[in-house]
Amino acid sequence: MAEAFLVQLRRRGVERLFVNSGTDFASLVEAYARRKDSGLDLPDVVVCAHENLAVSMAHGSYLGDGRVQAVMLHTSVGTANAVCAVFNAARSRVPVLLTAGRTPLFEHSMLGSRDAPIHWAQEMFDQAGMLRELVKWDYELRDGAHVQDVVDRALDIATTEPRGPVYLSLPREVLAGPVFGPQDSAAPALPTTAHPDPAAVAQLADHLASATFPVIVTGDAGADRRAVPLLAELSERFGIAVVESGVRHVNIPADHPLHAGYAVGEVLAEADVVCVLDLDVPWLPGSSTPRADAVVVQCGPDPSFSRYPMRTHRTDLTITANITALLPALTAALAERAVDPGRADRLAARVGGWRERRARLLETESAAGGPITKAFLNTALAQVRPSDAVVVNEYWASPEILGSTVPGTYFGTPPAGGLGWGLPAAMGVQLARPTATVIATLGDGAYMFANPAACHQAMAMHHLPVLTVVCTNAHWGAVQSSALRMYPDGHAAGAPELSPLARLDPAPRFAAYAEASGGLGLHVTERAELVPALQRALRTVQDERRHVLVDVECA
């Protein structure tokens, strides 16, 4: 049955199987070992030495090529290790078929029954319960007779909007068992995207056409790269400003004349129509909200974010639709309405000051002295980064300073914020786009959460020349800043040193992780060293196809 399972994955377009193997993989080991004799077309195996690496690499591969991915974990313990990465995939709406072996059901007398002491201790009453809240569907394969139907069902649910991970457990005896019946049925129809209600589109078009200062707020519209030129055209043609918040994709080119920057509070203070495109937190209610007289419209495949226990951001009109389907419909509706022809120029002049902040930051940081700051690290990367290089960011890379213009070249931290995502996700992007230059931008905390030894070993094994740039400041910035926001006049704010709860010193020499797996490791302490080090790193990943880590000591 293991062969039938693997064949069905490949038939349905799953090209890779990310694995962290265990005793439950015996039948898969046998299936791959006899592939030369069987002639079966099976998914390529991507071996990962940790479950966070496996799931986050699958996440990154989906970002890279837009195809559903598959992962197999080791029973209950492997599933437990993967929960944080599954949380990231769920909140990012990434379709991954997560499979895991299940401890053998039988104690003896069957092929695949228990033959090691761990087979008793690893069994759980409800293995899938660990992640049931995070996945769209979970199931246990009961018999080889329905393996084809179960795989098809899993992939159909994973790719139906809103997309997301699904979970299938595979008992060892079932994997080892026979398959009955035909296994060559036609593939089911692919689920279509959600299209908007024409009446709702007309209502939104009326609001936008009559507005004085219409604004689109987004951070995720560019999850489908096809949406980026559609949004750029809509904005420029009809005079609609676009502000980005919680940026996780390139949503509109940073140099677009109506790009209104990244400070959503400033823009909301002036907007009379606010259209939110598929963004879970378009503003922070405690610090900024739309004007009381503004019209607020929330759009997306799940505009209410129904899997979030609480989310009460205001809406006056809610449109359920795929963004790539909504934008052409909205463009067509606005083309039928009278829109002030001077609005685009007027708004471009107004938002230009917000957009010019990038130039000021670049100039100021380039001229400054002293230790390396995050802002200077960004200006250095912006100086050397090829425009088509992909940045996978988990901490310090600023979309405002980097100024990305090419769709699919920036991926930000998932909304759930489960640390340890960025480096393996960058590796997954590199796997899906082998000719691309991929840069992982991490803090030292996020880097350590990623199990770096496992990551660099996998880079060497799978020939993934990722450039990793670690901002090493030996503390948890989010922990300290959170305390200061809540208690600006408290004891922590006045303390001469960081709270021990926010400290990560002493910082290891991270470059050694890359060197231990055959990569290049560079350690940078001075401003003057940074740009040359990044240039050398880029030459190495591009010309030598070796992975590189640049460890940057930051203030």
Side-chain angles (χ1 to χ4, degrees), residues 409-483:
T409 58
Y410 178 86
F411 300 109
T413 307
L419 284 183
W421 166 85
L423 184 53
M427 295 163 61
V429 173
Q430 185 76 79
L431 190 67
R433 302 186 199 171
T435 62
T437 298
V438 180
I439 306 169
T441 56
L442 314 170
D444 44 2
Y447 180 68
M448 287 191 285
F449 257 72
N451 300 288
C455 287
H456 288 287
Q457 186 272 341
M459 288 183 210
M461 175 185 284
H462 303 299
H463 309 291
L464 303 174
V466 173
L467 167 54
T468 306
V469 185
V470 180
C471 175
T472 302
N473 56 14
H475 72 272
W476 296 110
V479 174
Q480 188 73 7
S481 61
S482 175

Side-chain angles (χ1 to χ4, degrees), residues 201 205 234 237-238 326-337:
V201 173
L234 177 77
R237 182 176 173 184
F238 300 107
L326 171 65
L327 290 172
L330 184 56
T331 297
L334 281 167
E336 297 174 350
R337 287 160 173 76

Side-chain angles (χ1 to χ4, degrees), residues 6 78 137 163 219 241 244 339 345 358 365 368 435 462 469 486 493 527:
L6 294 168
W137 172 92
R163 294 182 164 193
E244 295 189 89
V339 178
D345 291 339
R358 175 179 185 263
E365 285 299 325
T435 62
H462 303 299
V469 185
M486 286 186 63
R527 281 186 174 231

Side-chain angles (χ1 to χ4, degrees), residues 8-14 62 66-68 95 151-161 163 186-195 226:
Q8 188 65 5
L9 289 178
R10 194 67 189 85
R11 281 179 181 158
R12 297 306 184 240
V14 177
Y62 172 74
R67 298 177 181 177
V68 65
V151 169
D152 286 352
R153 174 69 170 161
L155 294 175
D156 180 68
I157 293 176
T159 54
T160 297
E161 292 186 335
R163 294 182 164 193
L190 295 175
T192 61
T193 59
H195 280 64
R226 296 173 299 174

